[in-house]
Amino acid sequence: MALRPYWRGYLKLSLVTCPVQMMPATSESEKVRFHTLNRQTQNRVVSHYVDSVTGKDVKEEDEVKGYQRGEDEYVILEDEDLENVALESTRTIDITTFTPRDSIEWIWLDTPYYLSPNDPVGQEAFSVIRDAMEAQNMVGISRLVISRRERAVMLEPRGKGIVLWTLRYGDEVRDEDSYFERIGDEDADSEMMPLVQQLIKRKTKDWSPKMVADSVQEKLLDIIAAKKKTLKKPAKGRAKPQPSPPPSNVVNIMDALKKSVAAERRAGK
């Protein structure tokens, strides 16, 4: 079944404009999801809003957004007020700046989307913008309203299309110095370095999506499959899996590295 576009609008560079559509580049639909049930009845438990003072349920039509300006004081915003924030970035991705791809560190990247032409007529304009960025190893910087918030976005050529990354806000990325300042300035031991480099070389492989497979989810699926088979059978006692013992403290790092390299060599034979 074809997925519906997450967003439709226009890609614009100066006087060049083309219709585009945007789709999420990632999906969580394959993840194991659980519902909360009533243990006694095995009926699903539902959540609802309750007035914090009266304790009564709040009907959906009575729910409204409020901005707190003081204790128990709020500025009420109706849906019409939110819709009236009519920014151009609601419907148009206007590339205002270009910057070298390598200048934007990964820590600023948030959520990826696939951007593609939404009309055959606009493919030529889309392609020339994409290919020009690719040729110069540049990415475009723009803004786009997503979920009623204007986000800075980065447009990166990828194959026949463009990946649009939402960028984290400036106050979302914490200063690394406050976390790394306690790390000493001494250089790595010159005798240990070659051993670690050998380990890195032996463990180096080409990237594969299998490297980020969710083993916990796979085990959950196995447990679910096993429970399905025993739903109509008398329950049998099952020993709980024992947690792996914590690794012991390594007293001599050099010895540990030598043993690691030797083990890798034996495994590689």
Side-chain angles (χ1 to χ4, degrees):
M1 185 177 81
L3 297 177
R4 295 178 59 186
Y6 178 79
W7 176 89
R8 285 192 179 98
Y10 296 90
L11 177 63
K12 179 181 178 184
L13 174 59
S14 188
L15 299 178
V16 179
T17 303
C18 61
V20 291
Q21 61 183 9
M22 192 171 74
M23 303 284 290
T26 59
S27 171
E28 296 187 352
S29 61
E30 300 301 319
K31 284 189 174 182
V32 176
R33 299 184 182 277
F34 298 101
H35 296 292
T36 302
L37 307 179
N38 180 336
R39 183 188 295 276
Q40 302 299 325
T41 65
Q42 294 195 9
N43 296 329
R44 286 183 58 179
V45 175
V46 297
S47 60
H48 55 275
Y49 288 104
V50 176
D51 189 297
S52 61
V53 177
T54 66
K56 295 181 179 180
D57 291 352
V58 179
K59 296 179 180 179
E60 185 175 354
E61 60 266 24
D62 291 331
E63 297 172 14
V64 66
K65 303 293 184 184
Y67 176 82
Q68 188 170 8
R69 67 172 186 175
E71 187 175 356
D72 297 329
E73 287 188 80
Y74 297 88
V75 176
I76 303 299
L77 291 176
E78 302 290 348
D79 289 342
E80 295 78 12
D81 298 320
L82 298 172
E83 292 171 359
N84 285 337
V85 183
L87 299 173
E88 183 183 359
S89 54
T90 303
R91 297 293 300 164
T92 303
I93 303 170
D94 188 358
I95 305 177
T96 57
T97 307
F98 291 95
T99 190
R101 174 63 185 90
D102 296 340
S103 66
I104 302 180
E105 296 183 89
W106 64 267
I107 200 168
W108 292 98
L109 305 182
D110 190 4
T111 305
Y113 296 87
Y114 290 141
L115 197 68
S116 60
N118 192 33
D119 190 311
V121 177
Q123 285 195 17
E124 183 178 10
F126 180 90
S127 298
V128 73
I129 294 173
R130 175 202 64 206
D131 291 349
M133 288 194 293
E134 177 73 24
Q136 296 181 271
N137 194 28
M138 291 286 181
V139 293
I141 304 298
S142 185
R143 308 191 75 83
L144 178 64
V145 173
I146 300 177
S147 299
R148 291 178 174 169
R149 296 188 71 184
E150 188 179 52
R151 305 293 302 269
V153 297
M154 180 189 84
L155 287 83
E156 179 180 20
R158 184 178 177 87
K160 294 182 179 181
I162 292 175
V163 174
L164 181 147
W165 283 92
T166 58
L167 300 176
R168 302 186 192 279
Y169 293 102
D171 57 0
E172 289 181 336
V173 178
R174 294 174 174 172
D175 182 12
E176 63 189 48
D177 292 340
S178 60
Y179 296 90
F180 297 158
E181 61 185 0
R182 295 183 181 180
I183 301 176
D185 296 327
E186 63 273 7
D187 294 332
D189 189 289
S190 59
E191 294 182 4
M192 294 184 186
M193 278 289 288
L195 295 174
V196 176
Q197 290 172 339
Q198 286 185 52
L199 288 174
I200 292 174
K201 184 176 181 180
R202 287 183 172 275
K203 290 180 176 290
T204 298
K205 297 180 180 179
D206 291 334
W207 161 255
S208 167
K210 294 181 180 179
M211 293 181 181
V212 289
D214 188 346
S215 58
V216 172
Q217 176 164 279
E218 291 173 359
K219 291 178 180 178
L220 281 173
L221 290 172
D222 290 340
I223 293 173
I224 291 170
K227 283 184 173 289
K228 284 181 178 179
K229 293 179 180 179
T230 59
L231 279 177
K232 296 182 180 181
K233 298 179 181 179
K236 296 182 180 180
R238 178 183 296 177
K240 293 183 179 179
Q242 297 298 318
S244 302
S248 58
N249 293 328
V250 178
V251 177
N252 190 314
I253 300 176
M254 180 65 79
D255 288 346
L257 287 172
K258 289 179 178 178
K259 291 178 181 178
S260 297
V261 172
E264 288 294 326
R265 285 175 178 168
R266 290 194 296 271
K269 291 181 179 180

